[in-house]
Amino acid sequence: MTDNQQENEKLLSFKERILRDLEEANKQIVQVEKENDSPVQEITNPEIKEDETEGPLPEHVSEEPEVQETVEIPEKVERVEVPEVTGVPAIQEVAEENQEETPLPIEEPTREAESSSQPVAVSRKETPVSSVSRKDRDQRVQKKKKQNTIAKRIVLTVLGILFVLMVATGIFAVTYVQSNLNAMDAKATEFVTVEIPAGSSNREIGTILEKKGLIKNGQFFNYYTKFKNYGNFQSGYFNLQKSMDLDTIIQKLQEQGTKTPEPPVLGKITIPEGYTIDQIAQVVSVDASSKSGAKTPYTQEEFLKVIQDDAFIEKMVAKYPKLLATLPSKESGVRYRLEGYLFPATYGYGKDSKMEDLVDQMLAAMDQNLSAYYDTMEAKNIDVNEALTLASLIEKEGATDKDRKDIASVFYNRLNQDMPLQSNIAILYAQGQLGKKTTLKEDATIDTNIDSPYNIYKNTGLMPGPVDSPGLSAIEAAVNPSKTDYLYFVTNVNGVNSYSKTFEEHDKNAKNYHKERDAKEKADQEKSSATDKTGTSSSTDEKTSTSSDKSKTN
């Protein structure tokens, strides 16, 4: 090998080292730019022309970046400069280095190598990484916004549908419930007879009503009655109408049904306890079931005519032998033979009901209520007329069940000792004042010398018949009185009874009563005078002779 060839070989080996260093620097630049998301910078590796291998190396490495788009390079990216070659190292040093290296084959330089033998420079590729990233991010943001908009629309649509369904369900539920609560036909006037067997459940009753066309849904009736905790449904026959709403039907079914089918009830007549026949005659024309005070098809005159009809009375005697076996006769001096035998209660009447039917119902009710006492009265040797006569006095004299039983014991004790009963109630009846408004003074100053079979101040024993229609409590007291030794009682102005065994005790109680009565009358007069001075109407001390305002001495 000639000296020239050896020198060229050394120079070539030196250039290869420089190219390797440049290659490593380029890799570092690429790595740094990737980490900082900056455009990649590359260092081009010039190929050495064969003709220029013998020439001197370039004095420095120039930087001529080629950039298509303006891209800023982050400050953190370090520029890699090629160290300046000032001269060719000594042949001896190169030889020492090449002793350890494997000599490279020498290829003949090409034109490309010659043309590429230019100063080494750092260049940038035309890959705008940053601008592409922004575009992608913008696209992703736009896509996400679009997705969010679509999601919101879907959510709002679903919520809207749910809201509409909820509203529709609520409207349907309210409409369904209301339609089941309302009457089937508000204009219907005909009655439907329904039989409810004993022990029927709510479900079974609902089924019966649905089949009769009185309600829309039997299952709804079952759930509604359970939800409202309705129960106590009675058995028997009921007359219902399609114009009745569900609550009205439930109320009707809680009333006692009849054992056999009966005509429908159009109205009701109520007889209070202690009413006389004259008072009953006034209420038979008033429909108790009407809030507006509607009239019944009956009149006072018609009622009094039936009550005094002998043929009708004989028919009732045959129908109720136990009740009317001891009915007073006309010759006994009674005002009305059926006085006290009409049981005080509420009675219904139908379209075809006659006055005779109404009175028949009242007698039937008394017979039914006395049926539990017939054996006891027979054992005690008390007939029905005696029991009702005594009960009619007790009804007016006593205010409580205990008072009634104690008063009954007083009457029995006096009867057993042949003492007159001395009850003001009988005198007021004889005078035609029982049930009318009277003052305390008028009530206490009655004429006890009146000539009447009802004057039990003069006559011993009972009156010929009852003076009013007693209730069940008074009948109970008359049949089963208290056991006492009392012979007297006086009722004060507050309706409280004072009992005594001797006349001296009774006289003392009576004097106390008179003091209370006088004080009350004086207070009432002063109040009346003060009211008159103010120009307003004065109130009187008139009172109805009832069981709560007795002021009699006995």
Side-chain angles (χ1 to χ4, degrees):
M1 184 178 293
T2 61
D3 295 337
N4 189 21
Q5 289 178 343
Q6 290 180 355
E7 185 176 355
N8 288 337
E9 186 178 352
K10 291 179 181 179
L11 289 173
L12 182 60
S13 198
F14 179 73
K15 289 180 181 180
E16 287 176 351
R17 292 175 60 188
I18 292 174
L19 291 174
R20 188 171 58 247
D21 294 336
L22 289 175
E23 222 175 320
E24 292 177 359
N26 188 34
K27 290 180 180 179
Q28 292 178 359
I29 292 172
V30 171
Q31 184 176 359
V32 171
E33 288 183 346
K34 285 183 178 180
E35 292 176 356
N36 293 276
D37 198 17
S38 300
V40 181
Q41 296 181 357
E42 291 186 359
I43 302 175
T44 58
N45 300 331
E47 295 183 3
I48 303 173
K49 294 182 180 180
E50 186 179 353
D51 295 342
E52 295 177 351
T53 54
E54 297 179 357
L57 294 173
E59 294 182 357
H60 62 278
V61 179
S62 62
E63 294 180 7
E64 296 179 6
E66 297 178 1
V67 182
Q68 282 186 349
E69 295 180 8
T70 304
V71 180
E72 294 182 0
I73 301 175
E75 295 180 359
K76 294 183 180 181
V77 180
E78 297 181 358
R79 294 178 182 272
V80 180
E81 296 183 358
V82 180
E84 185 177 342
V85 181
T86 55
V88 180
I91 296 173
Q92 187 177 359
E93 294 175 357
V94 175
E96 292 176 355
E97 292 175 1
N98 288 335
Q99 288 178 359
E100 300 175 357
E101 296 178 359
T102 304
L104 297 173
I106 299 175
E107 296 181 359
E108 294 209 1
T110 61
R111 287 182 175 268
E112 293 178 359
E114 291 178 359
S115 62
S116 63
S117 179
Q118 299 296 333
V120 178
V122 178
S123 63
R124 296 180 182 177
K125 287 187 177 181
E126 301 176 4
T127 55
V129 178
S130 179
S131 73
V132 173
S133 299
R134 287 198 192 96
K135 187 175 181 181
D136 290 341
R137 283 198 297 271
D138 291 342
Q139 290 178 352
R140 286 197 296 270
V141 169
Q142 292 297 330
K143 186 177 180 180
K144 187 171 290 185
K145 286 183 178 178
K146 188 175 182 180
Q147 291 175 346
N148 290 340
T149 302
I150 294 173
K152 288 180 180 178
R153 289 179 181 175
I154 293 173
V155 171
L156 291 175
T157 302
V158 172
L159 290 176
I161 293 173
L162 290 175
F163 178 75
V164 171
L165 288 176
M166 290 176 63
V167 172
T169 303
I171 294 174
F172 173 77
V174 172
T175 305
Y176 176 77
V177 171
Q178 195 63 39
S179 65
N180 279 278
L181 292 176
N182 291 337
M184 293 290 288
D185 184 1
K187 297 181 180 179
T189 57
E190 295 181 357
F191 283 86
V192 178
T193 302
V194 177
E195 181 185 6
I196 304 299
S200 297
S201 65
N202 292 15
R203 184 189 300 273
E204 292 170 340
I205 295 174
T207 302
I208 294 172
L209 296 175
E210 183 180 357
K211 289 181 178 179
K212 289 289 186 177
L214 293 166
I215 62 174
K216 290 185 177 180
N217 192 303
Q219 195 67 25
F220 180 85
F221 177 88
N222 179 38
Y223 290 133
Y224 181 74
T225 52
K226 288 181 179 179
F227 176 76
K228 299 287 284 186
N229 198 26
Y230 287 143
N232 194 30
F233 294 114
Q234 303 298 312
S235 61
Y237 290 89
F238 299 86
N239 292 312
L240 305 175
Q241 291 177 295
K242 293 183 179 180
S243 58
M244 296 178 179
D245 58 27
L246 185 59
D247 287 325
T248 303
I249 291 176
I250 291 173
Q251 182 180 357
K252 293 289 184 182
L253 293 178
Q254 289 175 333
E255 299 175 0
Q256 183 62 50
T258 59
K259 295 181 179 180
T260 58
E262 293 184 359
V265 176
L266 298 180
K268 295 180 178 180
I269 296 173
T270 298
I271 301 175
E273 295 175 347
Y275 261 36
T276 65
I277 281 184
D278 288 333
Q279 289 177 297
I280 295 174
Q282 296 174 4
V283 300
V284 294
S285 61
V286 180
D287 184 0
S289 63
S290 174
K291 295 181 180 180
S292 60
K295 297 295 184 180
T296 68
Y298 312 110
T299 63
Q300 178 177 349
E301 293 76 18
E302 185 180 3
F303 174 75
L304 292 176
K305 182 180 178 180
V306 171
I307 286 297
Q308 300 176 84
D309 186 352
D310 292 335
F312 173 75
I313 293 175
E314 293 305 321
K315 182 180 178 181
M316 293 297 102
V317 169
K319 188 174 183 178
Y320 305 105
K322 286 188 176 182
L323 175 66
L324 303 178
T326 56
L327 187 70
S329 63
K330 282 185 175 181
E331 293 74 18
S332 64
V334 294
R335 186 179 301 168
Y336 302 107
R337 295 182 67 190
L338 293 179
E339 182 80 83
Y341 285 80
L342 308 180
F343 189 77
T346 298
Y347 301 94
Y349 61 88
K351 181 179 179 181
D352 300 325
S353 297
K354 298 179 181 180
M355 179 56 70
E356 289 84 354
D357 299 329
L358 186 62
V359 176
D360 191 352
Q361 286 187 60
M362 299 176 186
L363 292 171
M366 181 63 79
D367 184 54
Q368 182 180 358
N369 282 280
L370 284 181
S371 60
Y373 298 99
Y374 285 143
D375 292 341
T376 304
M377 288 189 291
E378 184 177 358
K380 291 185 177 182
N381 197 25
I382 303 173
D383 61 41
V384 173
N385 189 63
E386 291 174 342
L388 291 179
T389 300
L390 193 60
S392 67
L393 296 177
I394 297 170
E395 179 65 48
K396 292 291 189 180
E397 295 280 12
T400 65
D401 291 345
K402 185 178 184 307
D403 273 342
R404 293 187 181 104
K405 284 182 174 291
D406 290 343
I407 292 171
S409 72
V410 172
F411 287 150
Y412 276 113
N413 290 338
R414 294 174 73 91
L415 287 171
N416 292 334
Q417 296 186 27
D418 200 24
M419 298 174 64
L421 298 181
Q422 295 185 342
S423 173
N424 292 17
I425 301 301
I427 302 296
L428 289 171
Y429 180 80
Q431 293 177 336
Q433 297 297 313
L434 188 62
K436 296 182 179 180
K437 290 182 178 180
T438 57
T439 64
L440 291 174
K441 186 175 183 179
E442 290 173 344
D443 195 22
T445 57
I446 57 173
D447 185 6
T448 58
N449 295 315
I450 186 174
D451 184 13
S452 170
Y454 290 92
N455 186 353
I456 53 178
Y457 271 84
K458 292 173 58 177
N459 305 327
T460 58
L462 291 170
M463 308 87 71
V467 295
D468 58 57
S469 294
L472 197 57
S473 176
I475 294 173
E476 166 67 24
V479 178
N480 299 304
S482 300
K483 292 182 179 181
T484 71
D485 295 330
Y486 299 140
L487 292 173
Y488 306 91
F489 73 92
V490 59
T491 306
N492 64 17
V493 294
N494 296 318
V496 178
N497 291 330
S498 298
Y499 301 92
S500 56
K501 299 177 182 179
T502 64
F503 179 77
E504 289 76 16
E505 293 176 354
H506 170 66
D507 188 56
K508 182 178 178 181
N509 292 333
K511 288 179 180 179
N512 289 335
Y513 158 71
H514 288 299
K515 289 181 181 179
E516 292 177 359
R517 184 195 65 188
D518 293 341
K520 187 177 186 306
E521 288 181 350
K522 183 178 180 181
D524 290 341
Q525 289 177 358
E526 291 176 355
K527 182 179 179 181
S528 177
S529 299
T531 305
D532 290 339
K533 290 180 181 179
T534 61
T536 59
S537 60
S538 62
S539 61
T540 66
D541 60 350
E542 289 185 344
K543 302 183 73 177
T544 302
S545 227
T546 63
S547 60
S548 61
D549 58 22
K550 306 302 173 302
S551 56
K552 287 79 57 181
T553 56
N554 297 279

